[in-house]
Amino acid sequence: MKSEKIIKEESGGRRRWYDDACGTAMALEFVGERWSLLVLRELMFGPRRFGEIKAHLTGVSANVLTQRLENLERAGMLIRRRLSPPAGAQVYELTSWGYEIEPVLQTMGRWATRSPAHDPTLPLSPASAMLSLRTMVDRDKARALAGATIGFRLGSDRFVARVTADDLAIVRGEPMGVDVTIDTDPTTLAVWIYVKRPIAAAEAEGTMRITGDRALAERFADLFALPAKIGNEGHIE
């Protein structure tokens, strides 16, 4: 039989926090440290360089980020690899098991945004904005737009969303041949989507530009809504 010491040190190469067979406890062994879940969020749409990850995790130090990446790699949730020449840069990429955490992130997001403390106008990263869309889309409404393609230019990040009959598929990539392209920043995008601020207001400020089917952009924004807030005693209002 394994000794107690060995058992406690088997979670990601460090001492375990919990002596508990519960799956939730085991999940916390892997991603319970600060920044770990957000690192996975940043990798949800494909491989990223160290600097790209750090740029979108405001407040994390290089040392802490290195530790989190090493722990997640050791646990089997991500890998390191070199891009093909001429880039040749090292990137971090989720494993197939790592990608399986997306429904967990979505469930946590829907649950947390029911709090009155949630503020959709605060800053967020491009990956967070795209994951939010995949989380909050009304799939019944989306069927009416099945086949529509929407491009996003969020600073240096590029994404393409395709509405299907039962999902909103989003991949990293330059918006080419899409029905409409939205050029903005993640926070302006969130305010437009969730606060329902008119496009014209953002355009007047120079923080958003729509290219292509403007009416489709408006219909796309109507596919999303935040869940109902809880009341003072945890009841839905």
Side-chain angles (χ1 to χ4, degrees):
M1 293 180 62
K2 296 180 181 178
S3 70
E4 180 181 357
K5 180 177 184 294
I6 293 175
I7 292 173
K8 287 186 176 181
E9 290 180 351
E10 283 187 339
S11 179
R14 59 172 175 77
R15 185 177 181 85
R16 292 186 61 169
W17 296 343
Y18 310 106
D19 286 321
D20 194 325
C22 173
T24 301
M26 191 66 188
L28 289 174
E29 298 283 0
F30 293 131
V31 297
E33 291 181 299
R34 188 182 183 195
W35 302 111
S36 293
L37 278 174
L38 300 189
V39 169
L40 297 175
R41 179 198 72 190
E42 291 304 308
L43 296 175
M44 195 55 59
F45 296 95
R48 299 271 84 185
R49 296 179 176 88
F50 183 93
E52 291 171 324
I53 300 171
K54 187 176 184 302
H56 294 307
L57 294 179
T58 304
V60 69
S61 69
N63 182 55
V64 169
L65 179 55
T66 297
Q67 292 175 11
R68 298 300 178 267
L69 288 166
E70 289 176 349
N71 288 343
L72 292 169
E73 181 181 19
R74 190 178 297 115
M77 278 178 263
L78 62 81
I79 60 172
R80 284 179 289 176
R81 65 179 178 86
R82 289 279 175 186
L83 294 176
S84 301
Q90 177 176 276
V91 295
Y92 296 87
E93 183 174 19
L94 295 183
T95 62
S96 58
W97 185 50
Y99 277 113
E100 289 179 18
I101 204 166
E102 181 180 359
V104 177
L105 296 175
Q106 291 179 335
T107 298
M108 290 180 66
R110 279 190 292 266
W111 175 75
T113 53
R114 291 176 60 203
S115 166
H118 174 249
D119 184 354
T121 69
L122 290 176
L124 71 168
S125 73
S128 180
M130 293 297 102
L131 184 60
S132 175
L133 295 183
R134 282 183 49 79
T135 300
M136 301 301 179
V137 64
D138 184 323
R139 285 169 171 75
D140 291 331
K141 286 184 178 181
R143 291 192 185 99
L145 291 184
T149 53
I150 299 89
F152 297 93
R153 293 192 178 102
L154 306 178
S156 61
D157 287 75
R158 305 287 189 269
F159 300 90
V160 175
R162 178 178 294 276
V163 185
T164 69
D166 57 3
D167 198 8
L168 177 65
I170 301 179
V171 296
R172 285 192 184 273
E174 189 66 38
M176 299 177 64
V178 296
D179 298 314
V180 61
T181 300
I182 300 163
D183 192 333
T184 186
D185 63 85
T187 302
T188 299
L189 178 68
V191 171
W192 171 52
I193 291 287
Y194 298 120
V195 183
K196 306 303 179 184
R197 188 171 188 236
I199 292 175
E203 288 178 321
E205 295 173 350
T207 56
M208 180 181 286
R209 184 165 61 91
I210 304 293
T211 306
D213 191 338
R214 189 183 184 90
L216 174 61
E218 297 279 15
R219 294 177 66 194
F220 179 75
D222 288 338
L223 301 181
F224 307 91
L226 294 175
K229 299 296 185 185
I230 60 170
N232 292 334
E233 296 181 0
H235 300 299
I236 297 176
E237 291 187 333

